[in-house]
């Protein structure tokens, strides 16, 4: 794991945007794995700005989102399809037909999960997967106890996740307790993974992911197995890491190596 510790959420968003821009500049037809939630919003705004200024293009890219509430049609304001359209897709030059979000309204959710996996495979697999992290260490909607090799499937949300996400729903509005989510095995298949975490309420989960044991009790700890996982956090989310100075030292040394390689 590469641990990048930055001052604040704005720096985290800019760093994430650099990773996405570099990916698209190297491979215009990249397959991008995307996430919803509060954390990536600033990153999406930065990508929209860069797209408008002609610095990055999504016109040949394909996207697959991590998850969707089961029972919500994409036109529902709380659906993740709606979120992605509003927060990113409507503002960039992506071909909407090449954007995929698991179908929350699927008649048969089980076959829809298999179909989602098949579509990802047909697209050549995910090149770069964006992740956030839940306070309980979830990635996608892979809640604690999720199988570390799991594939796209229907998952029950924990009480904690339902409560955390209740802020997006009106009082009395129907809030699903089930989701379709890429599995941990699906996420680990991505060629590169970038996880963003900001704020003190993520500090415990970040510590468990990076320094805790590899365990289904913290699904994000599975990223310890990934050969190219970049964890980008602000100082608040990093505040419970034990070896913070060591990670900063590694980054400084890496930078020197990159500078040297660039000078060759
Ligand atoms: C969203 C997702 C979730 C979120 C996580 C953090 O598609 O898969 O795992 O990344 O719940 O959410 P925020 O960023 O709202 O704290």
């Amino acid at each position: 794991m590469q641990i990048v510790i930055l001052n604040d959420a704005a720096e985290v968003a800019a760093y994430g945007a650099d990773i996405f821009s570099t990916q698209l500049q190297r491979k215009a037809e990249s397959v991008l794995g995307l996430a919803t939630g509060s954390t990536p919003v600033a990153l999406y705004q930065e990508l929209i700005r860069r797209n408008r200024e002609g610095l990055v293009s999504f016109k040949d890219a394909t996207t697959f989102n991590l998850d969707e509430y089961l029972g919500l049609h994409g036109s529902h304001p709380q659906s993740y399809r709606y979120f992605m359209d509003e927060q990113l897709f409507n503002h960039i030059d992506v071909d909407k037909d090449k954007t995929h979000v698991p179908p929350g309204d699927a008649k048969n959710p089980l076959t829809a999960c298999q179909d989602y996996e098949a579509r990802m495979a047909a697209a050549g697999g995910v090149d770069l997967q964006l992740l956030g992290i839940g306070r309980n260490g979830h990635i996608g909607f892979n809640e604690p106890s999720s199988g570390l090799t799991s594939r796209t499937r229907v998952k029950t949300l924990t009480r904690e996740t339902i409560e955390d996400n209740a802020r997006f729903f009106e009082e009395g509005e129907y809030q699903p307790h089930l989701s379709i989510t890429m599995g941990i095995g699906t996420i680990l298949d991505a060629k590169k993974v970038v996880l963003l975490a900001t704020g003190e309420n993520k500090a415990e989960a970040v510590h468990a992911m990076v320094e805790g044991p590899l365990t289904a009790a913290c699904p994000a700890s599975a990223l310890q197995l990934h050969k190219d996982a970049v964890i980008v956090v602000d100082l608040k989310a990093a505040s419970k890491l034990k070896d913070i100075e060591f990670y900063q030292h590694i980054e400084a040394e890496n930078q020197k190596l990159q500078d040297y390689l660039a000078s060759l």
Side-chain angles (χ1 to χ4, degrees):
M1 282 170 147
Q2 183 189 355
I3 319 295
V4 180
I5 300 166
L6 301 170
N7 288 315
D8 53 31
E11 287 187 13
V12 168
Y15 194 97
D18 286 347
I19 293 178
F20 272 82
S21 303
T22 305
Q23 174 69 38
L24 287 162
Q25 280 150 9
R26 282 197 189 135
K27 184 179 173 189
E29 67 285 4
S30 288
V31 179
L32 305 175
L34 299 176
T36 61
S38 309
T39 314
V41 170
L43 158 69
Y44 292 155
Q45 281 169 0
E46 178 59 17
L47 288 175
I48 291 167
R49 187 188 69 77
R50 293 185 191 194
N51 185 239
R52 284 198 178 133
E53 290 178 10
L55 302 171
V56 65
S57 173
F58 295 82
K59 79 177 169 44
D60 297 318
T62 300
T63 71
F64 286 91
N65 260 77
L66 280 168
D67 44 15
E68 177 60 284
Y69 286 117
L70 193 56
L72 296 192
H73 185 268
S75 60
H76 190 290
Q78 301 313 332
S79 74
Y80 284 175
R81 157 56 73 182
Y82 191 93
F83 174 99
M84 289 307 299
D85 286 348
E86 291 285 302
Q87 297 294 333
L88 185 66
F89 300 148
N90 289 346
H91 312 287
I92 57 174
D93 61 350
V94 75
D95 175 355
K96 277 262 189 88
D97 291 342
K98 291 201 277 183
T99 67
H100 304 84
V101 179
D105 61 338
K107 196 167 169 205
N108 182 336
L110 302 189
T111 52
C113 294
Q114 288 165 4
D115 181 56
Y116 203 65
E117 286 276 343
R119 279 169 191 252
M120 272 185 277
V126 172
D127 292 302
L128 174 61
Q129 176 67 55
L130 176 65
L131 297 174
I133 184 170
R135 287 189 301 130
N136 61 7
H138 74 212
I139 47 176
F141 271 137
N142 295 285
E143 301 284 29
S145 83
S146 288
L148 297 181
T149 59
S150 50
R151 310 302 303 185
T152 302
R153 69 210 184 290
V154 173
K155 271 301 279 182
T156 308
L157 310 185
T158 58
R159 243 179 245 286
E160 190 180 24
T161 299
I162 293 166
E163 280 164 20
D164 278 353
N165 290 353
R167 67 189 192 277
F168 299 113
F169 291 81
E170 301 290 335
E171 208 171 314
E173 190 178 6
Y174 167 67
Q175 186 185 350
H177 291 190
L178 294 176
S179 66
I180 293 180
T181 182
M182 285 188 199
I184 297 176
T186 319
I187 291 168
L188 291 177
D189 279 351
K191 292 174 192 85
K192 185 180 182 86
V193 173
V194 55
L195 183 146
L196 309 185
T198 57
E200 222 163 305
N201 65 340
K202 299 294 174 66
E204 196 56 60
V206 168
H207 163 62
M209 163 177 64
V210 174
E211 296 174 331
L214 171 64
T215 168
C218 176
S221 68
L223 298 179
Q224 293 173 16
L225 292 172
H226 198 279
K227 63 181 183 313
D228 192 3
V230 190
I231 312 299
V232 190
V233 296
D234 67 358
L235 284 171
K236 287 180 180 158
S239 60
K240 293 207 167 135
L241 289 173
K242 302 268 179 282
D243 280 327
I244 193 162
E245 278 165 22
F246 178 52
Y247 307 133
Q248 286 169 330
H249 172 68
I250 294 172
E251 274 308 290
E253 290 301 311
N254 270 344
Q255 195 49 56
K256 282 188 214 159
L257 181 62
Q258 294 306 325
D259 291 347
Y260 164 71
L261 293 173
S263 73
L264 289 179

